[in-house]
Amino acid sequence: MVAGALNGRAKLNTLTFLLRRSCLDRLNYTVAVGLHSAKGIRAFNTLHRCRNFLLDNCIKSIPVGVLFNWPTFAPSIFGCCQSFSTQASPAEFVDEVLAEVLSVMANSQSSGEELCAAYIDKFCNDRNLSGAIRLVRTLHDKNIPLHPSAYNRLLKAAVEENDIDLLCQSFKDLLVFCRSLNSSTYLIFAQAFIKENDVHCLLRFFREISELIFPSSTTVMNRIIFAFAECGQVDKALLIFDQMKSLKSKPDVITYNTILGILGKCGRTYEMLKEFVAMKEDGLIPDIVSYNTLITGLRKVGRLELCLVYYREMCESGIEPDLRTYNALIDSFGKSGNIEESLRLFNEMKHRGICPSIHVYKSLISNLKKMGKLELAIAFSNEMKESISNHHRPNYIQPKNR
């Protein structure tokens, strides 16, 4: 008697599990169609909270004795289940999803972005990345837009699976099918390689995308190099840069400016100067960003004499220095004790019609005080206050009524 009851309870638990798996998973996908609106999201969440309660009570209402006749009872139950959950192939289910999206777009006159993102999220939560990628490709074939969050969710799912090959393939698809990716997408991709030491896999991937999306691949490479540097993978960023030199997508001015900034922040002055020379040897003309980045990097390691050398080279090339240039030079020479050069540059800046920033004033005043030039410090302090007052002064004074 006890053995029979236990056997019946085991069958009940098994039936509960199978019913949930066959019915509810399908039901979740169907209800996901309602996610294109705020009300749909609330309804979807409510269903999730109620589903276990409803099914548990439904199954518990079945007499335990009926389960003793398991072979004859089970087919009727699972025949019912089949009406809720058709065992469709991945391709068929993607077609069903697409049909739902098109229906919602036609009926609500919306782009369907939120609904598509909801389905992508659902696929990723179920670890069905092949279905998610297939859906993305199908949507692009139909010219149906996807929200950037959907792309990021797909890449994050690939990272969670720790599948670099799948990550690269997903990112490659996004580059082909999407016109532009935001910076967070590139950062997610770069972060996936923090623990990945297979450099050959990485370089092989960049050779592939260079051929795949040429000539726009240079812009993509620039953003990838920046993303790798942002998450602390400087050596890999430099490897990608070296790889570019042997590809169709050659480095441009933006690429070199990015590399100069990376090397300058790391204090690798010799390499920075070497790449600056290589930039000019490749026939690329440095711009104001190139010189400012170079001067800032040299200033960081105290190479002030080289700062002046490249400052003069910049002016001789016909590139006018801007506020950032003067800010770096005035602050550097002031802190090194060469206050005369700071004052000369300050006067030159104003002569060029560049209005000094508050930061430039404060830096100059602080360095003058350290050198014991209190009168000049007070004079520039008053000039700064007057500059602030003029900046906040209204354009005109309305005459008073008499």
Side-chain angles (χ1 to χ4, degrees):
M1 184 76 177
V2 174
L6 290 175
N7 190 28
R9 177 57 60 187
K11 291 177 180 178
L12 176 62
N13 292 336
T14 303
L15 178 61
T16 303
F17 170 77
L18 291 174
L19 275 172
R20 284 179 180 173
R21 185 166 182 174
S22 59
C23 297
L24 290 178
D25 286 348
R26 180 64 181 170
L27 190 58
N28 287 342
Y29 280 119
T30 305
V31 176
V33 177
L35 288 177
H36 66 279
S37 65
K39 292 182 179 179
I41 293 173
R42 287 194 294 269
F44 184 66
N45 292 336
T46 302
L47 176 62
H48 268 282
R49 287 193 296 268
C50 295
R51 63 179 188 173
N52 288 341
F53 173 80
L54 293 173
L55 270 181
D56 285 348
N57 281 278
C58 176
I59 294 173
K60 288 177 183 177
S61 65
I62 301 172
V64 176
V66 175
L67 296 176
F68 293 148
N69 298 320
W70 177 267
T72 58
F73 175 72
S76 61
I77 291 292
F78 290 108
C80 177
C81 291
Q82 192 69 18
S83 65
F84 287 101
S85 177
T86 303
Q87 300 299 320
S89 66
E92 290 173 341
F93 185 72
V94 169
D95 291 339
E96 290 180 16
V97 170
L98 182 61
E100 296 287 2
V101 171
L102 293 175
S103 175
V104 169
M105 292 174 63
N107 294 329
S108 63
Q109 300 298 321
S110 68
S111 64
E113 283 190 3
E114 292 182 8
L115 179 59
C116 294
Y119 271 120
I120 295 295
D121 186 62
K122 177 62 181 171
F123 275 123
C124 292
N125 288 339
D126 290 345
R127 304 177 72 175
N128 183 6
L129 299 191
S130 60
I133 293 173
R134 184 182 181 88
L135 178 59
V136 169
R137 291 177 178 176
T138 306
L139 292 172
H140 279 293
D141 290 341
K142 299 290 185 180
N143 294 319
I144 300 175
L146 269 175
H147 194 270
S149 62
Y151 296 115
N152 293 346
R153 181 66 185 92
L154 181 57
L155 289 182
K156 286 179 180 178
V159 174
E160 291 166 2
E161 291 295 314
N162 196 27
D163 191 333
I164 293 297
D165 291 335
L166 179 60
L167 174 78
C168 291
Q169 184 59 50
S170 301
F171 190 73
K172 193 188 302 182
D173 286 345
L174 300 187
L175 292 175
V176 172
F177 294 122
C178 187
R179 293 181 181 177
S180 62
L181 302 176
N182 57 27
S183 57
S184 60
T185 305
Y186 285 93
L187 195 60
I188 292 170
F189 176 77
Q191 287 172 340
F193 286 88
I194 292 177
K195 297 181 180 180
E196 178 60 42
N197 297 319
D198 188 356
V199 177
H200 298 290
C201 169
L202 182 65
L203 297 181
R204 184 173 62 253
F205 168 74
F206 287 113
R207 285 195 298 270
E208 291 175 0
I209 65 172
S210 175
E211 297 290 336
L212 189 64
I213 60 175
F214 182 81
S216 62
S217 52
T218 298
T219 302
V220 172
M221 292 286 197
N222 290 341
R223 300 190 70 180
I224 290 175
I225 289 172
F226 182 79
F228 270 81
E230 280 289 288
C231 56
Q233 302 182 81
V234 173
D235 290 335
K236 289 176 183 175
L238 295 175
L239 279 175
I240 299 169
F241 169 66
D242 289 335
Q243 174 86 343
M244 283 186 70
K245 296 177 181 179
S246 61
L247 302 176
K248 288 184 179 180
S249 52
K250 301 295 183 184
D252 58 8
V253 174
I254 297 175
T255 315
Y256 274 103
N257 289 346
T258 304
I259 295 300
L260 293 176
I262 292 172
L263 295 172
K265 288 181 180 178
C266 297
R268 297 160 69 166
T269 310
Y270 174 76
E271 295 174 72
M272 179 180 67
L273 293 174
K274 181 181 176 182
E275 294 300 341
F276 186 74
V277 173
M279 176 184 183
K280 292 188 284 187
E281 290 177 348
D282 287 345
L284 299 173
I285 302 174
D287 57 11
I288 183 65
V289 177
S290 309
Y291 281 104
N292 281 345
T293 304
L294 192 66
I295 290 171
T296 301
L298 291 169
R299 166 199 176 193
K300 183 176 180 179
V301 295
R303 300 295 301 274
L304 301 183
E305 74 287 354
L306 282 177
C307 287
L308 274 181
V309 169
Y310 286 105
Y311 166 70
R312 294 191 183 105
E313 179 184 309
M314 177 177 66
C315 295
E316 290 171 2
S317 301
I319 301 174
E320 292 191 1
D322 59 9
L323 180 60
R324 183 183 176 189
T325 315
Y326 282 111
N327 182 31
L329 293 171
I330 291 170
D331 184 61
S332 298
F333 283 102
K335 287 181 178 179
S336 67
N338 192 348
I339 197 67
E340 288 77 14
E341 186 64 26
S342 286
L343 291 171
R344 186 190 71 78
L345 290 167
F346 184 81
N347 291 327
E348 181 183 299
M349 176 177 62
K350 292 197 293 183
H351 181 72
R352 287 178 179 271
I354 300 174
C355 181
S357 65
I358 302 301
H359 180 76
V360 173
Y361 272 114
K362 288 184 176 181
S363 173
L364 189 61
I365 292 168
S366 175
N367 292 325
L368 284 169
K369 288 180 179 179
K370 291 178 182 178
M371 297 295 296
K373 299 181 180 293
L374 299 180
E375 292 183 2
L376 269 177
I378 293 172
F380 280 112
S381 179
N382 292 332
E383 183 179 317
M384 180 183 69
K385 292 176 183 177
E386 184 178 352
S387 174
I388 296 173
S389 177
N390 291 336
H391 179 73
H392 292 288
R393 184 178 297 171
N395 293 332
Y396 65 92
I397 300 176
Q398 187 175 355
K400 294 181 180 179
N401 295 328
R402 295 185 178 179

